Amino acid sequence: MSFATIGLLVILLLFVFFFMGLEIGFSMALAGFIGFAAIVNVDAAFNLVAKDVFSVLSSYGFTVIPMFVLMGQVGASGGVARNLYDSAYKFIGHVPGGLAIGTVAAATVFKAICGSSPATAATFATIAVPEMDRYNYDRRLSCGTVATVGTLGILIPPSVVLIVYGILTETSIGKLFLAGIIPGLIVAFSFVMTLFGWSAMNPNLGPKGEKSSWKERFSSLPPVLVVLSIFLIVVGGLMMGFFTPTEAGSVGTFAVLILTLCKKDMDLKRFIQAVSETLRIACMVIMLIAGATILGHFFAVTRTPYIVASWLEGLQVDRTVIMLIIISVYLIGGSFIEDLAFLILATPIFLPVVLKMGYDPIWFGVIVSVVTMIGVILPPMAINAFVVSGVCKEPVGTVYKGIYPFIIGMSLCLLLLLFFPQISLWLPNMMME
Amino acid sequence: MAQEKPLIYMKFAGLSRAGESGFVESTVKTKSYLGGLNRIFSRFLFVIAGFALTGTMLLTVADVILRAFKRPILGTYELVGLLGAVVIGFALPQTSRLKGHVMMDFLTGKLPDTLQSVLRILTRLLAIGLFAILGWNTWSMGNDFYRVGEVTPTLQLPLYPVTYLMALCFFIECLVLFVDMLEKRELEP
């Protein structure tokens, strides 16, 4: 059998494992192991699994993941999101749909310390939805908004998706963070426009809230400023080369911990809760990476990425068309397999193609992130919709109805970023030469 | 109980089952002897992982602060790497026990009950096989490290203890998967 045939069989086996309900990380490890044993020999495969898993687990580079997850979890369980929401609410609650717009604004700032998308959706589902219920907001609008704003963290640093992408492709995490800022703000702006348009068309969806005085507004600002300065220290320190990514995450966590301790919003019980959530998320992500590493070594032996690259090159079409094909693969793949898992699986396969076509890997990271943002709220594997439906006790169908309008805006942003790479690349190129 | 509500989404996300941590009373009901043993082991390791995570954070922050005074903590880089292995490896059994790993269960969930049980047993056996291989080979890697006397570059810390501990975690993961195979999976609402 040729290498290409074995490669194809292993991919088939991988999908059989997925559909049987074997954990995705374990499926990748097992399929990679079997493939490697078939091509090289069983002893080498035994060595490979142990070495790969041990080196992923004990590598300094990967400790950045638990650190940034911990920073977000400490912020989430320490009530930082509520402070931000209170402030946004006071500024904009009085316009139609204002509470939902306030949710977008608060989530955008909150994302500057919390990179986890379902955690944000869950946090805002418990804070913002009851508030919107109080003013008789339509459940489609309120649930759709909280499910969608959770995705902002995929693009706005410190995003776990960008960190994982940076590790996989060996690109600078600092640069990726910078590249995510402007596109992240553009997407957040598209959410605000969607909400404006939607509530203008149907004013009953989001009635006006109370108007606050300017004094109330300004007195709600300090926590917002503290969060923004923590963000500046973390991303700035990383950018200037003062911190490694792991150090940036640790310092950020420590700063958020001090902030929540000062506000008396943090106690031992909450900290333990944040730590155990972090352990679970980090363990899940790193086991995915470990599985993908084993599978990746198998693919490297079969030269699968090069076969894919030469096949795509042989199509004789414009590189934009090939990029659109790659994006569709991510969208389709990510809507059936969990999005981060699919990104970890697919990126090493497609990266050689992307580089060969002359695209910037930093820019591709931003594009992949926006695709992942759409993926996490696109049925049938829309984690955020499940989270919000669980917290708000609303059928998933209702949440989906609230999500669709936002997807239009996000798709427009994706096209904008696709055709104008300078939007993503301007900031990192200017700041890091 | 407040802890029972978020079960709905935990299955999909592997995330945010608020309040249901290894430290809070678990909602997973286990009566058998093996199940109890499994629970004690997983939680014990999970607590150590928690300390390792907090320790890594504090150690790194201390290093950053002391570095500003030109007194960095020697070997932070390697210590953080080794602690990272403890964090993830020790959290593994409990993460599995709480069904924290992502899987594609929206398809299998629609199948008839008998077929679901068959698939569950089959996938658990595959996973046990994987972790048995992993545990065994990590252990023999530890033997190699011990024999050769492999150490970290700066602090000269021996690598074999962490390697043996990882192997141990993988064997306990086998136990977790075995108990999962025997138990009837909770019905999701």
Side-chain angles (χ1 to χ4, degrees):
Chain A
M1 265 197 290
S2 73
F3 279 5
T5 327
I6 296 179
L8 215 62
L9 283 176
V10 166
I11 293 176
L12 205 68
L13 187 67
L14 183 67
F15 280 89
V16 171
F17 287 159
F18 285 171
F19 283 110
M20 279 168 63
L22 184 62
E23 285 85 342
I24 290 176
F26 303 173
S27 303
M28 291 195 279
L30 202 56
F33 168 74
I34 294 171
F36 206 82
I39 281 191
V40 190
N41 61 52
V42 182
D43 277 342
F46 280 153
N47 258 322
L48 179 83
V49 277
K51 277 222 173 67
D52 274 355
V53 174
F54 185 76
S55 67
V56 167
L57 257 55
S58 65
S59 116
Y60 179 85
F62 287 108
T63 53
V64 59
I65 294 170
M67 281 312 145
F68 274 109
V69 174
L70 183 61
M71 176 169 163
Q73 291 295 333
V74 169
S77 51
V80 174
R82 173 167 291 284
N83 296 134
L84 298 175
Y85 183 65
D86 280 345
S87 181
Y89 170 105
K90 285 184 175 128
F91 274 89
I92 201 157
H94 60 285
V95 304
L99 295 182
I101 296 169
T103 310
V104 175
T108 309
V109 181
F110 185 60
K111 296 288 34 169
I113 55 164
C114 177
S116 161
S117 169
T120 310
T123 310
F124 279 91
T126 51
I127 299 168
V129 172
E131 206 58 38
M132 289 193 258
D133 281 348
R134 213 152 63 84
Y135 288 96
N136 288 322
Y137 271 51
D138 192 292
R139 271 286 175 123
R140 276 176 297 166
L141 181 84
S142 54
C143 291
T145 306
V146 287
T148 312
V149 291
T151 63
L152 281 172
I154 294 173
L155 207 47
I156 295 176
S159 141
V160 175
V161 171
L162 284 177
I163 293 172
V164 170
Y165 177 90
I167 293 174
L168 287 175
T169 60
E170 291 174 352
T171 38
S172 145
I173 293 176
K175 268 191 176 180
L176 282 166
F177 276 3
L178 281 176
I181 294 177
I182 296 177
L185 292 177
I186 291 177
V187 175
F189 184 68
S190 89
F191 292 168
V192 173
M193 291 330 276
T194 309
L195 284 167
F196 263 127
W198 203 9
S199 1
M201 275 192 283
N202 187 351
N204 294 329
L205 283 176
K208 293 177 187 178
E210 280 161 32
K211 197 173 171 124
S212 312
S213 69
W214 281 102
K215 201 177 156 209
E216 283 173 322
R217 288 177 185 175
F218 281 114
S219 62
S220 72
L221 274 180
V224 182
L225 297 178
V226 175
V227 169
L228 286 178
S229 41
I230 292 176
F231 172 77
L232 280 179
I233 293 171
V234 168
V235 176
L238 185 59
M239 219 177 60
M240 316 263 273
F242 195 68
F243 299 145
T244 66
T246 304
E247 286 167 357
S250 302
V251 170
T253 310
F254 194 68
V256 175
L257 192 61
I258 299 288
L259 165 71
T260 52
L261 278 174
C262 289
K263 292 195 297 126
K264 297 195 170 47
D265 277 336
M266 182 53 70
D267 50 29
L268 192 62
K269 206 176 143 208
R270 286 193 180 145
F271 183 69
I272 287 172
Q273 190 190 323
V275 167
S276 43
E277 290 296 325
T278 304
L279 287 177
R280 251 199 319 252
I281 298 171
C283 181
M284 171 198 82
V285 174
I286 292 195
M287 286 321 282
L288 282 172
I289 296 180
T293 310
I294 297 172
L295 190 65
H297 277 138
F298 162 72
F299 279 146
V301 176
T302 58
R303 298 172 51 82
T304 308
Y306 304 96
I307 298 171
V308 174
S310 56
W311 180 75
L312 279 173
E313 263 185 334
L315 289 179
Q316 302 287 348
V317 286
D318 191 68
R319 65 175 194 167
T320 318
V321 180
I322 296 179
M323 188 46 91
L324 286 173
I325 295 175
I326 294 177
I327 290 172
S328 324
V329 172
Y330 271 89
L331 265 182
I332 297 166
S335 59
F336 286 99
I337 304 168
E338 206 264 337
D339 292 87
L340 184 61
F342 189 78
L343 180 139
I344 293 172
L345 173 68
T347 304
I349 299 178
F350 286 121
L351 192 75
V353 189
V354 173
L355 293 179
K356 220 169 173 186
M357 290 191 302
Y359 284 117
D360 191 317
I362 302 278
W363 169 82
F364 186 59
V366 172
I367 293 292
V368 165
S369 302
V370 181
V371 172
T372 309
M373 287 173 78
I374 300 177
V376 287
I377 52 170
L378 200 67
M381 262 307 271
I383 293 176
N384 279 15
F386 298 140
V387 172
V388 173
S389 121
V391 177
C392 302
K393 297 182 199 62
E394 196 69 43
V396 184
T398 314
V399 185
Y400 281 146
K401 279 191 195 117
I403 285 174
Y404 292 132
F406 292 103
I407 292 186
I408 303 169
M410 289 167 96
S411 312
L412 289 177
C413 292
L414 177 62
L415 290 177
L416 194 71
L417 295 169
L418 193 62
F419 291 108
F420 298 97
Q422 56 273 39
I423 298 175
S424 328
L425 296 175
W426 175 73
L427 200 56
N429 286 349
M430 187 187 69
M431 305 287 280
M432 293 174 88
E433 261 320 297
Chain B
M1 289 276 289
Q3 289 162 12
E4 280 165 7
K5 281 176 265 164
L7 271 175
I8 319 156
Y9 58 81
M10 174 64 199
K11 192 176 127 199
F12 298 99
L15 302 167
S16 325
R17 190 197 284 187
E20 220 273 54
S21 67
F23 301 87
V24 185
E25 197 188 333
S26 171
T27 52
V28 181
K29 291 189 190 85
T30 40
K31 290 197 183 92
S32 64
Y33 172 71
L34 208 57
L37 198 68
N38 174 31
R39 206 180 87 161
I40 293 167
F41 273 144
S42 312
R43 282 175 155 201
F44 176 66
L45 294 182
F46 200 67
V47 172
I48 298 180
F51 277 112
L53 179 66
T54 316
T56 312
M57 191 254 296
L58 294 176
L59 174 68
T60 314
V61 172
D63 181 45
V64 168
I65 293 171
L66 289 174
R67 198 169 57 195
F69 299 103
K70 306 236 182 308
R71 301 283 296 273
I73 301 171
L74 216 62
T76 303
Y77 184 85
E78 7 191 282
L79 271 176
V80 168
L82 292 178
L83 279 170
V86 172
V87 169
I88 303 304
F90 281 41
L92 180 65
Q94 179 75 346
T95 308
S96 274
R97 220 170 68 82
L98 299 174
K99 316 277 182 288
H101 293 290
V102 271
M103 50 177 98
M104 277 174 73
D105 43 12
F106 68 96
L107 269 175
T108 46
K110 293 195 178 79
L111 296 172
D113 281 356
T114 5
L115 196 55
Q116 274 195 41
S117 311
V118 172
L119 281 180
R120 196 188 73 227
I121 292 172
L122 214 59
T123 52
R124 292 317 90 189
L125 284 175
L126 282 171
I128 291 172
L130 174 70
F131 279 97
I133 292 172
L134 198 53
W136 181 253
N137 287 286
T138 310
W139 188 271
S140 58
M141 201 164 87
N143 285 340
D144 291 346
F145 284 161
Y146 181 73
R147 216 181 35 215
V148 182
E150 189 92 12
V151 290
T152 60
T154 318
L155 293 178
Q156 306 282 309
L157 290 170
L159 270 179
Y160 71 90
V162 178
T163 321
Y164 284 141
L165 284 174
M166 289 301 101
L168 198 69
C169 290
F170 297 145
F171 287 132
I172 291 175
E173 171 75 4
C174 287
L175 175 73
V176 171
L177 291 162
F178 185 69
V179 172
D180 184 29
M181 185 176 80
L182 298 182
E183 273 174 10
K184 213 172 149 52
R185 192 166 285 182
E186 296 160 77
L187 289 172
E188 306 290 340

